Amino acid sequence: MATLLVMLGSQLSVRSDLPLSSPLPGTGQLAPAAWLPRPSDLDLGGSWRFALWPSAAEAPADPAAFRETEASDIRVPGHWVLQGHGAPAYTNVQYPFPVDPPHPPDGNPTAIYQRTVWIDELPEQARLRFDGIDGAATIWWNDTLLGSTRGSRLPAVFSLDDSLRVGENVLTVRVSQWSAASYLEDQDMWWMPGIFRAVTLQSLPAQAIDDVFVHADYDHESGGGVLRVEVRSDADAVIDVPSLGIAEHPAGVELSLAGIRPWSPDDPVLHELRVRTDRDEVVLKVGFRRVSIDGGSLRVNGTPVRLSGVNRHEHDPDLGRAVPIATARAELELMKRHNINAVRTSHYPPDPRFLELTDELGLFVIDEGDLETHGFELNGWRRNPSDDPMWLPAFLDRVERLVERDKNHPSVIIWSLGNEAGTGRNLAAMSEWIHGRDPSRPVHYEGDRDGAYTDIGSAMYLSSADLDAVGAGSLPPGAKPGSPAGAPERPFLLCEFAHAMGTGPGGLSEYQAAIDGHPRIAGAFVWEWIEHGLRQRLADGSVRLAYGGDFGELVHDGNFVIDGLVSPDREPRPGLADVAAVFSPIGLALDGTELTVTNRYHGRTTEGLEATLAVVDLDTDGVAGDEPPVSQQILIPLLAPGESATVQLPAELSLDSGVPRLLTVSVAQAHATAWAPAGHEIAWVQAELPGSGATSQPGSASSASSAASIAASSAASAEALSGPTTFGVGRFDASGRLTQVGDIPIHDFGLRFWRAPTDNDFGTPWDGDDQRSDAQRWTDAGLDRLQARTTEYSVAGDELVVGTRYGVISSDRGIDSMLRWSRTEAGVLALDVEVAPFGEWHVPWPRIGLGFRLPGEFGDVRWFGLGPGAAYPDTGQGARLGWHSMPIDDLQVPNIRPQENGSRGGLRRLALLASQTALQIDGHGLAFSARPWSDAALEAADHLEDLRPDESTHVHVDFARHGIGTAACGPGVLPQHRLEPARYSYAVTFRAVPAL
Ligand code: GAL
């Protein structure tokens, strides 16, 4: 193939193809530079000619050969595997090919893309820009080889000067899925080749602006800014910043500016900067801010940051990583509405337009390099590219293209070298290069455990207790004693935590307490923002959201790619409301009549926030009536970031009135922002005032930790029962199981201890001593195969007693229970429940509760308790106490892999509603779930679409539940949220009432 040397700007570049086995970076490209779009840019997206071959050897070698080939059409940008050619494949750590670096396998899907471009008039110079080609590409313009690309999520820019012609031009791109570069791109995501980001033709004058580097510093002590704009161009450049009164200022000459309003996520002030030469002009947005590390804290503009972040992959269920910019904007607005103030662009630089949005909407960004070699870990890190000099040019190329592209964005406050690439000299060299080129931002890389070459300590999935210890000065786990990682001046963050897979994440409050407790902890990033399910049409025409293995992959990692706070279609999962609550920038504590407000914003006061106090009276059961709450505006004190103040609530609403009351304070933004309307809620808190009157505690759940077994029999006068019986408004079958309340039929009534395991139940807790998951321990202990034996069934006056022993098949272990029914109140069946373990139990139980089935016409619920979303013992920070109602269908969380979900805690009253009648259940500290399918169906299903309503409503009323934790990847359920086997007692009432 022809090789041509061309002088391009300051860079000497070789126009040649690159063998797929070469570990070197791409060829023929212009020097990396900032992305500088011009209005005259020509978007080459659209329909291209396309064909695919199973190997590089079979594909045509050049454009001429391709012209003879039969081809179809394909959409650019896009992935070919999502457009009917081949299939996507999902792996997490493992490479889907032999680890034989730097060689790719022969089986290497290779495509050729081609399109024509009409040129009316030759520009003085022209450039062809690719924002992202997944795979290794070779590019020709009019059959002239331009060069090649490596680095799927990085830009590649080629000069077209000697190959452009007036009239029809032909652009040809040959893409191989695998190359040596694939060893550097082992991120936990779908393998999806193709030209998936924009392709742009830029026509420019001869002496164009090649690059701009904006330095916009802010000094929080003086309130002034310093602006210096470096321009790379053969012509002299000047700058204008109209909003600051700067005009025709020579580029490169520093300007000191007084009275600057700095950029922060809470006040993302941007100024338009025009950079001009005689013949060229580019427009950028500039924000003034300073990132520093001081006193062990990561600071922006002098203020310690509290990064309340998420890890964001680019994902769309139909388009893969070709995410439209309007979608990205909607995602960022959704994040802002949920108090998320930071994004880690895991694990590659995002679409360049994304950073314009984070600048504008106000989010801190950890901008991460396109680098991961995790699969080498499975081979003991042997031949890991990170420490092999052969790969140094590729590592440096990747970091240069990241930094040069994104250096002008105020939202980018940290550079991250990449993810899970072990450690080694090439990573250290990347960091050194950044420190030379852009000393204004610290360098992050989680794999640098000893802090040898980065500036910020980082870890993944530490427990909240370990995070707390690091905050207090302990050496981070995995760091060598005496290494820089232990230095007190080094800030620390969790680049990943709270693995949001399936039901969960549990334990957010404990993490946030650790973060807020230590200025050294800069914050944490939830893993992850979005679930990567892909919409798949099956042979029978049905459609489902697919995960690993659904495309027939030889090796895959199942549903580990479905672990986000939002669904692939960006529908919030319950965890998102919890994140909004714990990440809230306004801390509220309500203690009787006093409200303490803490301003945790980074860059704004509490001005512009308004607060409302809503008060409802509770009845003696702790339940509110139907009257609307009495509401009143309350004044929020004016607080600077970091300040707290306590205010007295209006006495007439909050003082003891004799009856118990529920107080809710809600803080909202008074004015619309770019991401939410006026009145959008930022924070809320609730508290109950007990009142002085006597309150009954019907059905309060209590627990006794004594392991003593349950009293074996009831009163001496008891009459043993042997057949079905009527007792008050209840009917019972021959085994003493409730079969009817009033005229409502009840099926399969009994105690339940099992749940359809969640993804977290299936994970091995990182902080446990046991190598087994909770789900495995449950099945090992036999909790999924309990058999019941009635030990007592008798009546004595107003008490009906049913004793049941639940024994584990093949074991002498089990759970004894005693249900004591009473009918002292007309129309009400009251139930006292006692359970106690017998034999050896060394595992927490999933739940203790009642389960039964109602006819499917009971299709709605109304409850007083936590809601509207799910709340387990360690989740539900976003759920609040009050009346909620919804159809049973809406209680379900449509998890892509079905599992236990949607349980509502803090329950005091539940009405299961049919059109005429309702089953009402009262108690304290209960939880419920109701589903149109059984737990067995939930457990057996692999995909949401496998679940079918079975014409019954399956109800759980739980007395106690095991927490959720995050053991799918991280620590298990915290001790305080575990349901340990012990003797417990509870109470609850049933009645049939007319439906409202
Ligand atoms: C981390 C990794 C992420 C993801 C996560 C588990 O180790 O950095 O990319 O794999 O675990 O979902």
Side-chain angles (χ1 to χ4, degrees):
M1 224 157 272
T3 299
L4 181 71
L5 288 183
V6 279
M7 279 298 290
L8 303 163
S10 59
Q11 198 196 26
L12 184 67
S13 183
V14 182
R15 276 192 177 168
S16 66
D17 200 358
L18 191 66
L20 293 174
S21 281
S22 169
L24 294 174
T27 50
Q29 297 167 31
L30 292 170
W35 188 59
L36 300 171
R38 317 293 205 280
S40 58
D41 289 354
L42 188 62
D43 176 6
L44 299 184
S47 184
W48 293 40
R49 275 189 82 225
F50 175 87
L52 179 69
W53 290 265
S55 68
E58 285 159 89
D62 56 44
F66 183 57
R67 269 197 290 280
E68 314 302 317
T69 311
E70 217 177 291
S72 58
D73 289 339
I74 200 161
R75 193 182 59 244
V76 172
H79 302 278
W80 73 66
V81 287
L82 299 184
Q83 297 185 64
H85 306 274
Y90 166 60
T91 61
N92 170 15
V93 177
Q94 55 187 333
Y95 289 101
F97 47 79
V99 181
D100 180 22
H103 307 289
D106 288 352
N108 187 0
T110 296
I112 300 201
Y113 290 74
Q114 198 169 60
R115 68 158 287 161
T116 56
V117 183
W118 186 267
I119 302 289
D120 285 327
E121 195 183 327
L122 279 189
E124 289 173 18
Q125 60 166 315
R127 291 174 190 174
L128 178 64
R129 177 187 171 93
F130 295 89
D131 280 320
I133 302 177
D134 201 314
T138 308
I139 327 276
W140 294 264
W141 189 273
N142 290 333
D143 296 6
T144 301
L145 177 70
L146 298 182
S148 60
T149 72
R150 299 293 186 271
S152 298
R153 272 69 56 173
L154 287 163
V157 186
F158 299 90
S159 168
L160 288 185
D161 300 345
D162 47 7
S163 47
L164 206 63
R165 62 181 176 228
V166 169
E168 190 172 89
N169 290 253
V170 181
L171 167 58
T172 309
V173 183
R174 184 179 132 122
V175 185
S176 289
Q177 175 161 17
W178 310 122
S179 69
S182 307
Y183 289 99
L184 308 186
E185 297 179 9
D186 188 29
Q187 291 94 337
D188 174 6
M189 60 190 193
W190 294 99
W191 298 94
M192 290 190 292
I195 305 176
F196 76 102
R197 284 187 187 157
V199 184
T200 312
L201 179 66
Q202 262 192 333
S203 298
L204 298 169
Q207 296 182 325
I209 296 167
D210 292 325
D211 192 18
V212 173
F213 194 171
V214 177
H215 306 270
D217 184 44
Y218 174 74
D219 179 349
H220 71 278
E221 273 165 9
S222 69
V226 174
L227 180 65
R228 183 165 54 87
V229 181
E230 284 175 42
V231 176
R232 177 152 59 82
S233 171
D234 290 339
D236 290 338
V238 294
I239 62 163
D240 308 321
V241 187
S243 59
L244 296 174
I246 300 168
E248 306 248 345
H249 183 79
V253 178
E254 191 167 284
L255 269 167
S256 289
L257 303 157
I260 286 292
R261 212 170 111 204
W263 183 96
S264 90
D266 309 316
D267 187 18
V269 188
L270 296 174
H271 300 273
E272 189 175 286
L273 162 75
R274 271 187 247 130
V275 181
R276 290 187 285 125
T277 66
D278 283 349
R279 307 279 315 284
D280 198 8
E281 176 176 303
V282 292
V283 181
L284 294 91
K285 295 274 174 60
V286 176
F288 290 82
R289 55 116 189 84
R290 180 184 294 176
V291 186
S292 60
I293 292 175
D294 192 7
S297 291
L298 175 68
R299 294 166 193 259
V300 171
N301 304 330
T303 307
V305 296
R306 178 190 194 247
L307 300 170
S308 299
V310 291
N311 281 278
R312 176 183 178 268
H313 266 281
E314 298 188 311
H315 186 75
D316 178 277
D318 303 302
L319 304 170
R321 286 187 284 275
V323 177
I325 199 63
T327 304
R329 184 180 193 101
E331 284 180 72
L332 288 170
E333 290 177 0
L334 190 61
M335 289 180 198
K336 290 285 287 186
R337 289 200 293 277
H338 290 85
N339 295 328
I340 291 162
N341 74 0
V343 175
R344 173 175 176 232
T345 68
S346 54
H347 298 300
Y348 41 81
D351 182 312
R353 297 166 299 174
F354 180 81
L355 298 174
E356 294 181 347
L357 297 175
T358 50
D359 287 349
E360 179 204 326
L361 294 169
L363 286 108
F364 288 129
V365 174
I366 298 185
D367 197 0
E368 189 148 280
D370 191 2
L371 175 69
E372 175 158 341
T373 66
H374 203 175
F376 282 85
E377 187 174 19
L378 302 177
N379 299 301
W381 289 114
R382 286 185 299 279
R383 307 186 63 193
N384 180 20
S386 300
D387 201 37
D388 181 341
M390 171 174 93
W391 296 91
L392 177 64
F395 277 57
L396 287 176
D397 172 71
R398 281 168 191 253
V399 82
E400 283 178 35
R401 286 197 282 155
L402 160 77
V403 171
E404 296 298 354
R405 192 193 77 164
D406 295 343
K407 58 189 180 270
N408 295 324
H409 291 285
S411 56
V412 175
I413 60 162
I414 297 172
W415 298 117
S416 178
L417 304 179
N419 185 59
E420 296 185 320
T423 191
R425 288 164 289 175
N426 297 340
L427 289 156
M430 288 169 102
S431 184
E432 191 185 337
W433 185 88
I434 298 179
H435 284 131
R437 176 66 176 150
D438 178 23
S440 77
R441 293 172 175 102
V443 175
H444 164 272
Y445 172 61
E446 183 268 343
D448 179 28
R449 302 276 154 74
D450 295 329
Y453 47 87
T454 54
D455 306 308
I456 298 173
S458 176
M460 294 177 184
Y461 310 111
L462 285 197
S463 67
S464 40
D466 283 349
L467 181 64
D468 200 46
V470 172
S474 296
L475 197 66
K480 279 198 206 90
S483 70
E489 56 275 11
R490 196 172 154 85
F492 191 84
L493 56 79
L494 291 184
C495 65
E496 295 177 27
F497 86 122
H499 197 258
M501 186 176 185
T503 300
L508 286 172
S509 307
E510 289 80 0
Y511 276 112
Q512 196 60 50
I515 293 165
D516 289 340
H518 305 285
R520 181 186 186 190
I521 309 291
F525 293 73
V526 172
W527 186 268
E528 65 178 308
W529 169 245
I530 192 166
E531 300 174 348
H532 305 206
L534 287 172
R535 217 172 328 269
Q536 181 185 34
R537 186 170 290 279
L538 301 178
D540 65 0
S542 63
V543 172
R544 67 177 181 186
L545 283 167
Y547 49 79
D550 287 343
F551 295 97
E553 300 104 297
L554 203 56
V555 294
H556 65 83
D557 289 298
N559 71 324
F560 204 60
V561 76
I562 309 292
D563 53 359
L565 292 171
V566 298
S567 76
D569 288 302
R570 292 160 222 95
E571 292 295 330
R573 298 297 192 203
L576 188 60
D578 298 348
V579 159
V582 297
F583 279 179
S584 177
I586 293 295
L588 297 175
L590 189 50
D591 178 13
T593 59
E594 283 187 350
L595 175 71
T596 303
V597 184
T598 306
N599 180 3
R600 298 202 183 105
Y601 278 111
H602 184 266
R604 58 165 287 183
T605 67
T606 47
E607 196 187 338
L609 296 178
E610 54 189 23
T612 315
L613 168 66
V615 180
V616 285
D617 288 349
L618 303 178
D619 65 16
T620 51
D621 295 342
V623 174
D626 287 334
E627 314 76 47
V630 178
S631 294
Q632 187 172 319
Q633 292 272 38
I634 52 175
L635 210 64
I636 287 278
L638 184 66
L639 300 171
E643 285 182 352
S644 284
T646 299
V647 291
Q648 293 292 322
L649 296 181
E652 69 279 14
L653 288 179
S654 57
L655 286 185
D656 187 356
S657 62
V659 292
R661 284 179 158 175
L662 174 64
L663 273 52
T664 305
V665 174
S666 166
V667 175
Q669 62 181 27
H671 310 289
T673 48
W675 40 271
H680 167 76
E681 187 177 69
I682 305 288
W684 59 272
V685 67
Q686 289 187 306
E688 279 182 82
L689 297 180
S692 55
T695 49
S696 75
Q697 288 279 307
S700 53
S702 64
S703 66
S705 54
S706 136
S709 64
I710 295 171
S713 66
S714 60
S717 60
E719 173 201 336
L721 296 167
S722 57
T725 192
T726 299
F727 178 79
V729 290
R731 286 277 303 161
F732 294 81
D733 69 10
S735 311
R737 284 181 304 195
L738 180 69
T739 57
Q740 211 169 312
V741 175
D743 54 5
I744 300 173
I746 308 239
H747 306 280
D748 303 337
F749 185 90
L751 285 171
R752 302 282 190 269
F753 304 96
W754 182 250
R755 71 183 179 202
T758 64
D759 290 319
N760 287 312
D761 294 336
F762 279 129
T764 300
W766 288 21
D767 54 346
D769 303 328
D770 204 310
Q771 290 309 301
R772 295 169 301 162
S773 67
D774 280 1
Q776 187 62 50
R777 294 172 72 205
W778 293 336
T779 39
D780 289 352
L783 268 162
D784 59 336
R785 43 186 198 282
L786 297 172
Q787 264 185 8
R789 177 173 67 81
T790 306
T791 54
E792 174 156 0
Y793 183 23
S794 63
V795 66
D798 279 334
E799 191 178 67
L800 178 87
V801 178
V802 183
T804 309
R805 166 162 279 217
Y806 295 90
V808 170
I809 295 177
S810 338
S811 159
D812 60 359
R813 171 177 51 244
I815 303 168
D816 274 325
S817 71
M818 197 63 74
L819 273 56
R820 292 193 172 81
W821 295 93
S822 57
R823 56 182 173 193
T824 39
E825 193 183 335
V828 179
L829 263 188
L831 172 64
D832 287 319
V833 176
E834 263 188 284
V835 297
F838 64 90
E840 297 233 320
W841 283 101
H842 299 291
V843 57
W845 293 338
R847 65 167 14 118
I848 303 168
L850 298 167
F852 55 91
R853 205 154 52 76
L854 295 173
E857 59 171 321
F858 286 80
D860 292 279
V861 281
R862 183 161 187 266
W863 76 98
F864 189 83
L866 294 175
Y872 289 84
D874 55 353
T875 77
Q877 294 87 346
R880 63 191 88 185
L881 187 63
W883 276 112
H884 308 280
S885 61
M886 65 183 70
I888 277 167
D889 288 348
D890 293 355
L891 293 171
Q892 315 312 312
V893 180
N895 292 307
I896 295 174
R897 188 194 74 77
Q899 54 196 277
E900 160 67 30
N901 71 83
S903 175
R904 269 72 177 174
L907 179 70
R908 298 181 186 176
R909 178 165 299 160
L910 169 67
L912 293 141
L913 298 146
S915 57
Q916 302 294 321
T917 182
L919 178 65
Q920 181 180 317
I921 300 169
D922 284 66
H924 253 259
L926 304 176
F928 84 98
S929 58
R931 308 183 199 288
W933 38 71
S934 66
D935 282 8
L938 193 63
E939 191 170 345
D942 288 328
H943 290 84
L944 179 63
E945 296 72 17
D946 301 342
L947 291 170
R948 302 252 181 274
D950 65 7
E951 305 197 343
S952 287
T953 292
H954 302 259
V955 182
H956 281 283
V957 174
D958 289 324
F959 304 120
R961 295 160 302 162
H962 187 54
I964 296 295
T966 54
C969 182
V973 176
L974 295 171
Q976 62 270 34
H977 302 306
R978 290 183 199 151
L979 179 52
E980 298 295 351
R983 180 179 170 169
Y984 297 98
S985 57
Y986 310 101
V988 67
T989 63
F990 292 79
R991 69 191 94 197
V993 296
L996 292 180

